[in-house]
Structures are given as structure tokens and as C-alpha cells.
Amino acid sequence: AATTAATTTATTSITPKPPPQKPKMNDDNENEEDGNENSYVKLISAEGDEFYLQRQIAVSGSETMRAMLEGAGRFRESEESVVRFPDITSHILEKVVQYLQYKVMHSNSNSRIPEFVIEPEIALELLG
């Protein structure tokens, strides 16, 4: 499985370098990562490819990921900071990560926001 780190850059690119490893949590420091904007979550596609995304971007941009990572039921994803998407292919998950980064990057912009390009060949797949 390929590993890809998603980092917020001016070009909203996906880079091959993984982020720093998240410290393991135990009962004494269970909530230590909650306020840390630099902590990452690992997103795993149907093919097993891994994408790293800042936790804050994941929870602010996706209600589904917020529920999994911060939900009251304490999902396994919350404990492991890993979200598996068995029905989402790598190229679609990569586009979702790019959009979440784009959304955060331009959310408070006072200038003209550039278009988020979606290739016609994946548009229908993104809707599904």
C-alpha cells in the first residue's frame, strides 16, 4: 500500500512524505491530542493506500470524520486516529483530501477564491 501525506500548501498538493508520528495515547493522557492542530489522522482507501491529513482539517471539513474521530461513542477511529474507507478508491479519496485542504485554505479569504478543479472523468464517482 502506498503512503501519501496530505499537507496544506499553497498548491493544495499531496506529498509523499509522511507526517510526524502521533504519540500513543494511554489512560493518563487520553485527551492530550484534542487541542493539537498538528496531529494527523490516517485515511485508508479501498486499495489500502494511506493518506495523512491534519486532524483539525478532517474534523472541521467532514461531519462523518468528526463523528468517527470525536464522537461520544468513542469509535475505534478515535483511539487509533485511522479512518478506513473500504468503498472509496484511492483517486477519489485523494480528491476529497485535496478539497478539504482547499476548503480550509480559502475559508477566510477576502480575495477571489480560485476554482477547485474536478476532472470530468471522476465527477460522477465523487457524487456517489
Side-chain angles (χ1 to χ4, degrees):
T3 299
T4 304
T7 57
T8 305
T9 65
T11 60
T12 321
S13 65
I14 305 295
T15 60
K17 185 168 57 168
Q21 291 296 311
K22 178 181 176 283
K24 298 287 184 197
M25 290 193 265
N26 61 36
D27 293 337
D28 295 333
N29 62 359
E30 186 174 341
N31 294 319
E32 99 179 4
E33 290 292 318
D34 288 347
N36 186 352
E37 288 185 20
N38 294 321
S39 65
Y40 286 81
V41 294
K42 183 189 326 183
L43 310 177
I44 303 176
S45 71
E47 297 90 350
D49 294 326
E50 299 174 351
F51 299 88
Y52 289 88
L53 182 64
Q54 285 183 334
R55 184 182 192 93
Q56 185 57 40
I57 293 174
V59 299
S60 66
S62 167
E63 290 296 322
T64 300
M65 284 193 268
R66 176 182 299 160
M68 295 170 118
L69 295 167
E70 295 183 343
R74 300 298 293 181
F75 288 94
R76 180 177 79 189
E77 290 84 358
S78 175
E79 299 297 321
E80 297 175 357
S81 289
V82 175
V83 181
R84 291 166 181 81
F85 294 98
D87 298 325
I88 300 178
T89 60
S90 294
H91 70 281
I92 295 299
L93 186 55
E94 180 177 16
K95 197 63 162 179
V96 169
V97 168
Q98 289 172 350
Y99 177 74
L100 292 173
Q101 293 172 326
Y102 166 89
K103 183 178 171 183
V104 167
M105 189 182 331
H106 297 292
S107 63
N108 294 321
S109 179
N110 293 326
S111 61
R112 185 175 180 275
I113 298 173
E115 179 181 348
F116 182 76
V117 179
I118 297 174
E119 297 77 13
E121 56 273 6
I122 68 167
L124 288 177
E125 228 179 319
L126 278 169
L127 294 173

